[in-house]
Structures are given as C-alpha cells and as structure tokens.
Amino acid sequence: MNKRKKLNQTKQRRKNRVSAKIFGTLEKPRLSVFRSNIYTYAQLIDDLNGKTLASASTHELKKAKAKDSKIKEAEALGELIAKKALENKIIEAVFNRGNYAYHGRVKAVAEGARKGGLKI
C-alpha cells in the first residue's frame, strides 16, 4: 500500500473516531473546523436539522486586515465565529476538530472562540 493511501485511511479513521462522539443541537451546535493550505474555515452546525447556523473563514478576515501569521488569523477567526454565535443567541458549542490534531490553527480557533465568549 502506498504512503498516500495509508495516510488517507488513517485520517478517515481518526475523523470517524472523533465524530462518533460529537453531536450538535440547536442549543449546543457543533463547531467544525476545516484547514486548507491557505485558509481556515469554521462552522456552527445543528446536526438534528442538518443546518449550518453560522460560518466564517479567514478569507473574510483577509479582506479587512493585513497579512498575519496563519495562527493569528485562526485565533481571530475563533473570535469572529464566537461573535456570530452570540448574535444568534448561542452561548455553548461542541468542538469538532475533525481529522486534525489539536494544535496550531485548530487550537487557535478554539482559544479564539473561548476568548470571544463561546463556551466549548
């Protein structure tokens, strides 16, 4: 088996293991994080109804700010998603890191959301 295929299978197993324990509701939605090479995305998802309640990305932040490091942008993204959550009267969320390890940009999004007033 080649390395890429093995890595994809490992990521999928990790994602399934993490996602099996996490479920979002309207009162306590799932805060899902996605990293691409350039941007970071965050969504608040209600799994009962299958709806996205709020979403944000570092792409929105780049329009307003000068170039920062990706980790600083991710922390600002966490604060932005927390602000959008509070506007929708959401005070708690369940953090879903997906298949990513809890460090770097993923950790920065969680810390930024906590700093913004969202309970995770």
Side-chain angles (χ1 to χ4, degrees):
M1 178 181 312
N2 66 21
K3 288 182 182 181
R4 181 83 270 176
K5 190 172 183 180
K6 186 168 175 62
L7 179 63
N8 287 342
Q9 287 178 346
T10 304
K11 284 183 177 182
Q12 188 62 42
R13 277 197 310 270
R14 189 181 314 126
K15 183 177 181 181
N16 291 341
R17 183 176 60 241
V18 169
S19 298
K21 302 171 188 173
I22 297 172
F23 192 78
T25 62
L26 188 60
E27 298 82 31
K28 195 172 180 179
R30 177 168 52 104
L31 175 59
S32 179
V33 176
F34 174 75
R35 289 182 340 199
S36 73
N37 287 337
I38 302 170
Y39 302 113
T40 308
Y41 304 88
Q43 290 182 324
L44 288 169
I45 303 168
D46 174 15
D47 289 319
L48 288 176
N49 299 319
K51 298 209 179 209
T52 300
L53 305 173
S55 65
S57 72
T58 54
H59 186 66
E60 296 173 28
L61 297 172
K62 284 195 175 194
K63 292 177 184 174
K65 289 186 177 180
K67 179 80 173 147
D68 266 341
S69 73
K70 289 181 183 177
I71 292 178
K72 287 181 183 178
E73 288 177 353
E75 190 169 349
L77 172 67
E79 292 176 13
L80 178 64
I81 197 74
K83 179 183 167 198
K84 288 184 177 185
L86 294 175
E87 288 172 0
N88 289 333
K89 298 179 178 134
I90 299 168
I91 54 174
E92 276 189 294
V94 180
F95 189 72
N96 181 15
R97 62 184 172 86
N99 60 350
Y100 307 112
Y102 187 77
H103 69 85
R105 286 192 275 168
V106 175
K107 183 177 178 182
V109 170
E111 289 175 352
R114 285 188 192 104
K115 192 192 295 186
L118 192 63
K119 292 181 186 174
I120 296 177

